[in-house]
Amino acid sequence: MGNWINLNGKFVKREEAKISVFDHGLLYGDGVFEGLRSYNGRIFKLEEHLFRLYRSAHFIMLEPPISKEEMGEEIIKTVRKNQLRDAYIRVVITRGEGDLGLDPEKCPHPNYFIIADRIQLYPKDFYEKGLEVVTVSIRRNPLYSLDPQVKSLNYLNNILAKIEGRIAGCVEAIMLNQEGWVLECTGDNIFIVEDGVLITPPTYIGVLEGITRNTVIELAKKNNIEVKEEIFSCYRLYNADECFLTGTAAEIVPVVKVDGRRIGTGSPGPITGRIREIFREYVSKEGTPVYEK
Ligand code: PXG
């Protein structure tokens, strides 16, 4: 299972799925990607992920070799080919082969590939006990350098933050902007809870508009939990009643300590628990079917 890679529309064995060393995706991180998930044979938020992928491509002036609709079909086919029901799906579009210079004009044929593999679930402890995370010194790319909305293959900014977090013994790290406002984690968005209200940084401040984040906002509102998109500092974060992270792979993970400060009671809080329940219920029903066609 998970052995067939979709490389430019053709299924090849994992070991044979190769891209040229002259591909600018590799030489310069010149390309875009998406990480999706399927739950019990249904791809979660396929439209939203495609929308974001094609907007990322548009931003870097990369014309994908196939349309958004065709890409959706290719994704479905790939999950089906690998006979997966619960999958993690990676879609990558690279600039393609060029010469050794930076110029994307020299790369006439973008490549794309789709990997569908079994989902690697995070340890139960993460959810039951909550995570300890730290803020790191490396700042998130500012809007004027590389807008964090773009899921580009150049994730070094986040990788450096991840390394810093790892050195501090944490699996996730909180990234701030130049002024010190809290933005997001290396691969997850962040929420705090204050007096029963969910607060998350607005996307205009320079955070990825996470699909899990948006789903949480929508579900919270539907369930009469107030949500505010507001910038906040570490002071507010340390003093929040609860904190949790959201992302496709992690779903919703409680955070119980930040920079050595206990958050709330030091155990995952009730609102986080409620959001997790609502989310789990939602993902079990939602999504584009892979097999019933
Ligand atoms: N912020 C950033 C910077 C991300 O890369 C999220 C938030 C969450 O977005 P979604 O749409 O998934 O709710 C991401 C997600 C990983 C991994 O292995 C995660 C992401 C990218 C690459 C790897 O955890 N992105």
Side-chain angles (χ1 to χ4, degrees):
M1 276 208 270
N3 273 331
W4 291 101
I5 311 297
N6 185 330
L7 182 57
N8 293 315
K10 292 201 175 67
F11 286 110
V12 291
K13 285 259 171 66
R14 191 188 180 108
E15 312 78 57
E16 283 143 32
K18 305 233 163 76
I19 287 265
S20 164
V21 293
F22 287 94
D23 193 305
H24 281 205
L26 175 61
L27 286 176
Y28 297 115
D30 186 356
V32 292
F33 78 102
E34 268 302 319
L36 302 81
R37 189 164 172 169
S38 71
Y39 290 94
N40 196 22
R42 288 168 178 273
I43 302 175
F44 188 65
K45 302 278 178 193
L46 177 61
E47 291 298 318
E48 286 79 353
H49 281 283
L50 287 169
F51 181 73
R52 191 167 68 184
L53 180 67
Y54 278 67
R55 279 161 70 100
S56 291
H58 182 70
F59 183 87
I60 69 161
M61 298 184 82
L62 168 60
E63 187 69 53
I66 56 173
S67 72
K68 199 160 49 176
E69 293 67 33
E70 287 167 335
M71 188 63 88
E73 282 304 317
E74 293 298 327
I75 293 171
I76 293 171
K77 273 202 259 172
T78 310
V79 177
R80 206 185 287 150
K81 177 85 179 169
N82 287 290
Q83 294 172 28
L84 293 161
R85 295 197 73 81
D86 293 289
Y88 184 77
I89 308 154
R90 178 61 54 93
V91 184
V92 179
I93 311 175
T94 72
R95 187 73 70 180
E97 249 182 86
D99 63 17
L100 291 178
L102 283 173
D103 192 357
E105 288 286 317
K106 305 263 176 69
C107 310
H109 305 295
N111 284 311
Y112 78 87
F113 57 87
I114 306 165
I115 305 168
D117 211 343
R118 263 179 285 199
I119 180 97
Q120 301 278 324
L121 297 176
Y122 288 112
K124 266 206 177 117
D125 258 17
F126 281 23
Y127 301 95
E128 284 164 9
K129 297 197 178 123
L131 286 187
E132 176 173 353
V133 297
V134 283
T135 58
V136 290
S137 70
I138 188 111
R139 289 333 199 215
R140 192 77 175 90
N141 287 326
L143 288 166
Y144 50 79
S145 296
L146 177 58
D147 193 320
Q149 297 294 351
V150 184
K151 273 186 86 81
S152 84
L153 292 182
N154 205 312
Y155 248 51
L156 262 182
N157 180 223
N158 304 49
I159 290 166
L160 289 172
K162 184 113 188 162
I163 290 170
E164 231 185 291
R166 280 267 177 216
I167 290 168
C170 296
V171 294
E172 250 303 5
I174 298 173
M175 302 181 79
L176 313 173
N177 74 356
Q178 265 82 338
E179 285 80 41
W181 298 107
V182 173
L183 294 185
E184 62 177 334
C185 291
T186 66
D188 299 291
N189 290 107
I190 188 166
F191 284 77
I192 55 170
V193 182
E194 279 178 356
D195 299 323
V197 179
L198 298 189
I199 302 158
T200 194
T203 54
Y204 66 74
I205 194 182
V207 302
L208 181 81
E209 189 171 345
I211 288 161
T212 319
R213 168 196 185 275
N214 285 357
T215 307
V216 164
I217 293 175
E218 191 190 308
L219 293 176
K221 286 180 179 167
K222 267 197 202 144
N223 285 274
N224 299 315
I225 299 169
E226 198 185 333
V227 187
K228 285 187 195 161
E229 293 184 55
E230 223 170 77
I231 55 173
F232 56 85
S233 62
C234 286
Y235 175 83
R236 251 176 107 183
L237 170 59
Y238 298 158
N239 288 295
D241 301 324
E242 300 178 35
C243 175
F244 62 86
L245 312 179
T246 64
T248 296
E251 299 182 326
I252 291 144
V253 204
V255 170
V256 293
K257 213 181 236 190
V258 180
D259 295 339
R261 278 78 162 182
R262 192 189 64 238
I263 306 299
T265 61
S267 295
I271 306 271
T272 307
R274 175 104 180 87
I275 295 287
R276 283 196 61 211
E277 264 170 40
I278 298 168
F279 186 81
R280 293 252 87 211
E281 163 81 18
Y282 182 71
V283 298
S284 70
K285 290 188 263 166
E286 266 293 310
T288 308
V290 174
Y291 298 99
E292 294 110 76
K293 265 200 189 174

